[in-house]
Amino acid sequence: MVQISINLTHEIMTMISVQEAQTIILQLVESLQEKEVISLDEAMGRILAQPVSSSLNFPYWDNSAMDGYGVRFEDVNQSNLDYPIILDIVAEIPAGIHPKLSIQSGEACRIFTGAMLPNGVDTIVMQENTRPEENKVIILSPPNYLGEFVRKQGIFYQAGTILLNSGIKINESEMAVLATAQCSTVRVYRRPRVAILSTGNELITPAERLQPGQIVDSNQYALKAFILKNGGVPITLGIIRDEPEMIKQKILEAINTADIVLSTGGVSVGDYDYIETILAELGGEIKISGVAMKPGKPLTVAKFDNGCIYFGLPGNPVSALVSCWRFVQLALDKLSGIKGDYEPKLITATSADELSSNGRRETYIWGQLKLINGEFLFTLAEGSQNSANLINLASTNGLAILPIGVTTIHQGDIVTVLSISR
Ligand SMILES: Nc1nc2c(c(=O)[nH]1)N[C@H]1C(S)=C(S)[C@@H](COP(=O)(O)OP(=O)(O)OC[C@H]3O[C@@H](n4cnc5c(N)ncnc54)[C@H](O)[C@@H]3O)O[C@H]1N2
Ligand code: MOO
Ligand SMILES: [Mg+2]
């Protein structure tokens, strides 16, 4: 690692640090309180708004963990190859049956994995340790302990205990819990509404014919995908020309319909960069107007009286996404009702490549994070690290972070990497 001492220029002094920006943003965001009841089938990806418990025990009843024979432990625990115990098979119990009989001393039942135990049975002998003979079974080796291969009622969870906490995201494993607890409906937080708009005279849609000087609006698609991936409802408002009145109208519409607004472009110092002025004119309180990071420097954040939080993201495609990964992600997590510490997922990795920065802003370098033999390795994306190069941003799952003052991370050095979930 190579460090420099830097003279802070006026530009850097007016920008806040990434950490300060994170703190401000998280202070602005309040978690949604509105809840809705949805069907279990629709619950994937949603945030649980109440703890889940059940009147059921888990397992629901004593059942067998093996295909074999249900026995009384005291009958068979002395069994061995020289003096094998022989029991009468008095019943066959497949899974799904409620056995009504009671197994007496000297008796066994044929039983299968998942089948409910009858009264009297306290242990299962797996069939590999037995030899059936007509309506009898020979126990070739005794069980290791009383209750072997029995899944006792309530041994995993007892009725009434909390199975899932409020504020967790429902993924596949939580879906299984909700299903097994027979929650056919689930109370969740409503999804955050996120308005997305692109500003710029040069922008066209992917379907339009490209004319010299134009550029396709990729940000709209990137941001929509990001919002969908994070459980929000994207409200795409399209492309707005660099026309202050038109931008004003769209922003007004956006802040009145969404919890968060993401716009791209128009936040730097150019003659057509109107966003910050318009936000202020509309009564937005400008909380951030520049962060000492690269890319993502001109990030503008404002809060409106109705609670809406406006992120004016830089227009450069990489800058826009890096700002989302670093800041909007945390804001969305908190807004969504997810309980957590709202901290970026930072991973310590070894750098496979030399990484460089001018050391003047906290620099985010995109690439691949791989787990190799239990250790994380960061590989630089091939090609240019230019904030307009959205092509080599594809497949990025990690952003190596070079703090202010650090100009070089040598190959083999340790580097902190922001992990991006894919
Ligand atoms: N004199 C200075 N110029 C610039 C500075 C600076 O400090 N002084 N900062 C640079 C940095 S850093 C960034 S980042 C950009 C931010 O620009 P804006 O947020 O004002 O965005 P635009 O000027 O509208 O566009 C920048 C760039 O991005 C392209 N773009 C815009 N929207 C989209 C979209 N929806 N999809 C794809 N690409 C888009 C646009 O064509 C421009 O190339 O400012 C620097 N300038
Ligand atoms: O801050 Mo800009 O995002 O470096 O290109
Ligand atoms: Mg600009």
Side-chain angles (χ1 to χ4, degrees):
M1 187 166 92
V2 175
Q3 280 182 284
I4 52 160
S5 70
I6 45 171
N7 277 328
L8 292 180
T9 61
H10 171 73
E11 182 199 38
I12 291 176
M13 285 162 70
T14 57
M15 289 187 282
I16 58 170
S17 72
V18 172
Q19 187 55 52
E20 284 170 305
Q22 174 183 321
T23 305
I24 292 171
I25 289 166
L26 287 174
Q27 277 169 357
L28 294 179
V29 179
E30 280 167 36
S31 300
L32 291 173
Q33 297 300 318
E34 296 113 292
K35 300 166 186 173
E36 57 193 26
V37 176
I38 57 168
S39 79
L40 178 58
D41 282 329
E42 296 166 340
M44 178 64 190
R46 302 297 299 269
I47 312 302
L48 206 53
Q50 66 178 36
V52 171
S53 58
S54 170
S55 58
L56 297 166
N57 289 298
F58 299 94
Y60 306 139
W61 7 81
D62 292 358
N63 70 94
S64 174
M66 290 287 174
D67 301 314
Y69 294 86
V71 300
R72 300 167 77 100
F73 180 71
E74 59 178 19
D75 281 0
V76 295
N77 67 341
Q78 301 297 333
S79 194
N80 60 56
L81 279 179
D82 295 332
Y83 299 101
I85 304 283
I86 301 172
L87 303 170
D88 293 332
I89 303 172
V90 298
E92 178 177 296
I93 308 172
I97 296 297
H98 181 188
K100 301 270 170 41
L101 80 171
S102 185
I103 301 297
Q104 308 300 317
S105 185
E107 295 178 349
C109 64
R110 181 79 171 113
I111 197 162
F112 299 96
T113 306
M116 190 175 177
L117 262 59
N119 282 334
V121 166
D122 57 24
T123 302
I124 304 295
V125 181
M126 63 195 285
Q127 69 190 46
E128 291 86 334
N129 294 338
T130 66
R131 196 170 71 236
E133 241 164 50
E134 294 187 351
N135 56 354
K136 293 188 186 302
V137 59
I138 303 167
I139 307 297
L140 301 175
S141 74
N144 289 306
Y145 54 89
L146 172 71
E148 194 173 23
F149 301 129
V150 175
R151 298 189 287 217
K152 290 288 284 179
Q153 180 185 57
I155 190 83
F156 303 151
Y157 278 88
Q158 301 223 319
T161 51
I162 290 179
L163 306 174
L164 297 173
N165 286 312
S166 178
I168 61 160
K169 188 167 190 171
I170 302 172
N171 279 311
E172 51 273 43
S173 48
E174 291 76 23
M175 285 297 280
V177 175
L178 291 165
T180 202
Q182 296 194 300
C183 300
S184 51
T185 58
V186 187
R187 189 177 297 274
V188 294
Y189 291 109
R190 79 159 168 83
R191 297 166 70 192
R193 288 189 290 270
V194 184
I196 300 168
L197 54 109
S198 300
T199 66
N201 288 334
E202 73 278 32
L203 302 178
I204 58 163
T205 68
E208 285 173 288
R209 194 184 173 85
L210 191 65
Q211 302 295 334
Q214 294 184 326
I215 185 164
V216 174
D217 171 17
S218 57
N219 287 346
Q220 187 105 205
Y221 288 82
L223 298 185
K224 182 178 179 184
F226 173 76
I227 296 308
L228 283 173
K229 194 176 80 176
N230 285 289
V233 181
I235 304 163
T236 45
L237 297 178
I239 297 168
I240 328 299
R241 303 287 147 215
D242 290 321
E243 207 329 297
E245 265 319 301
M246 282 162 70
I247 298 176
K248 212 170 188 172
Q249 286 315 311
K250 266 297 173 207
I251 291 181
L252 205 53
E253 181 187 336
I255 57 183
N256 285 322
T257 47
D259 303 299
I260 285 184
V261 181
L262 304 179
S263 69
T264 57
V267 288
S268 187
V269 294
D271 288 354
Y272 299 91
D273 294 337
Y274 298 119
I275 297 296
E276 184 170 336
T277 314
I278 291 173
L279 292 174
E281 281 173 15
L282 288 172
E285 214 180 315
I286 308 293
K287 300 287 187 178
I288 296 173
S289 69
V291 182
M293 70 186 287
K294 181 180 162 59
K297 178 178 70 171
L299 175 73
T300 302
V301 179
K303 175 119 188 187
F304 284 86
D305 282 347
N306 70 353
C308 180
I309 299 165
Y310 192 104
F311 286 85
L313 304 170
N316 280 319
V318 178
S319 316
L321 270 183
V322 167
S323 308
C324 281
W325 288 329
R326 184 61 185 82
F327 299 120
V328 183
Q329 177 75 66
L330 304 180
L332 258 184
D333 285 353
K334 185 169 181 191
L335 182 70
S336 305
I338 292 176
K339 298 241 163 46
D341 56 7
Y342 315 118
E343 284 295 333
K345 291 194 187 74
L346 299 180
I347 287 177
T348 302
T350 302
S351 185
D353 299 296
E354 182 166 307
L355 311 175
S356 52
S357 152
N358 65 12
R360 305 176 74 81
R361 290 184 263 154
E362 187 167 303
T363 300
Y364 288 71
I365 293 176
W366 51 104
Q368 291 279 315
L369 194 56
K370 290 188 192 120
L371 189 58
I372 296 172
N373 297 331
E375 295 201 352
F376 283 102
L377 190 72
F378 177 79
T379 315
L380 186 63
E382 275 177 36
S384 164
Q385 293 270 323
N386 181 305
S387 60
N389 183 5
L390 72 171
I391 308 296
N392 75 345
L393 195 65
S395 300
T396 293
N397 69 348
L399 299 171
I401 305 174
L402 273 60
I404 290 175
V406 172
T407 54
T408 312
I409 297 273
H410 294 292
Q411 189 184 24
D413 279 359
I414 294 298
V415 64
T416 300
V417 180
L418 173 67
S419 163
I420 300 161
S421 58
R422 291 187 59 83

